[in-house]
Amino acid sequence: MNTLFRTTESPFLQYLNQPSTSDRRRRISSLPVRIGLGRSTRTGLAKTTTRMMASSSSAATETVGREVLKKGIADFYDESSGIWEDIWGDHMHHGFYNPDVQASISDHRSAQIRMIEESLSFAGVPEDSLKKPKSIVDVGCGIGGSSRYLARKYGAQCQGITLSPVQAQRAQALAAAQGLADKVSFQVADALQQPFPDGQFDLVWSMESGEHMPDKKKFVSELARVAAPGATIIMVTWCHRDLSPSEDSLKPEEEKLLNKICDAYYLPAWCSAADYVKLLQSLSLQDIKAADWSQYVAPFWPAVIRSALTWKGLTSLLRSGWKTMKGALAMPLMIEGYQKDLIKFAIITCRKPK
Amino acid sequence: MRLLTHNMLSCNIKGVTNGFPLRLEVEKFVEKEVDFSAEFLRNIFPKIEWKALVDASRSMGYSQLPDEADSSMLDSDDFLKKFHHALLELHLEEGVLICPETGRRFPVNKGIPNMLLHEDEVFVFDGVNLVLNYHLNSTW
């Protein structure tokens, strides 16, 4: 659907039957036929016109698709957060491991903390008391693991947003229990429409939430909007491999694998790290850096699978609900995706100009 | 939701220019004791929209904040205690946050605001906007 990024198709945009051709033709009478062809279009005017004819119906489809996706994400995390926390604790992201190391179960928690620290270090977030971040936003905060960690580390105020009411409640309860209720607070909100005025935050943090965003451009624009001048923006997210210059899209079998994963984890279309870099450049953000950290997260999914196969894991899964079980069953697909060099664990950081 | 958070929330409905501050409709609020830190208060003061804080604390029944404040008042212990109380110790548990421009109501349940928008508050699709959207964002 996205001509700029040639993203994969997502199952969530096919929820409605397409209206008939005659409906589409009637709707285009109000559309101007010629529009300026920006550098983002690679098709001729004829193709653009055809796309415009389908646009009104597809925009409606997309909006409904997005509502379905948002509800799916909220329900998925409402259902599964408890069991995750029970087995893995309050960080809902990959650990950062030394390559080719066999990690034991106790290493995973410190690996998840290391992921946070390595990300901050990669982005060059200052630590001295004058320049360190004082207000932080955690976009896609889960049950607030990163929020509480960052608030504690920097002595900063942190706001977290999530689509899941259950997660927000749990995040708040954990903050209160850890004596951080005066430093962190959580809201149910959409990362594509952040409920904050412009330029609020010194550090904009998105740890493994970008993959849920159906409109990458809007997602990144919002991150930039709420960033204060000079702020650091950090995104750690699942991407597909960069396309080579001769490629228009991923191979069909690659798309097929990603589609299965999208379905289980309530993900919209994937993009590549290079796509994110282009987006950041288009927003005139500075110091843009990106890296492929796939080799540092390799032990993670096998460890999650092993934890699911324990007695505690299996009984918890059976009690949790179908969405969680489906997510668990899809875990080998993630391993397959990494092994095929299709899925990349990417970090992309930048700074908002002063 | 404490008033420090309220001071950072705004209505983000498409087209709204005056989405801050949100008005409070209080159904249930609690007072929670929070550790006092003068340093924290002095650091956060420049970032606070004072009038929004005063109005919000009044809707929670606390009217001890002065209408206006400047940084010289941060030397006064009495002022700092009132500032501390309003900013951090008044918690809206159940109620509504209301957009000053559209009147849109955002519920607060168990202290957590729900700022999710409905689909018609996000997208406006008529022919011209669709084309503009494509032109600006390169997506349909």
Side-chain angles (χ1 to χ4, degrees), chain B residues 59-90:
Chain B
S59 50
M60 306 262 260
Y62 184 71
S63 16
Q64 306 225 13
L65 285 181
D67 283 341
E68 282 169 19
D70 61 73
S71 47
S72 64
M73 293 158 96
L74 293 171
D75 292 326
S76 151
D77 237 12
D78 183 62
F79 171 80
L80 285 178
K81 288 207 164 70
K82 290 177 178 156
F83 182 28
H84 169 83
H85 185 70
L87 194 69
L88 300 172
E89 294 189 324
L90 299 173

Side-chain angles (χ1 to χ4, degrees), chain A residues 41 159 182 185 188 193 195, chain B residues 2 5 8 10 12 113 115 134:
Chain A
T41 54
Q159 303 275 358
D182 57 333
S185 68
V188 175
Q193 275 92 228
Chain B
R2 60 219 163 117
T5 303
M8 302 177 81
S10 80
N12 46 359
M115 307 299 295
Y134 177 89

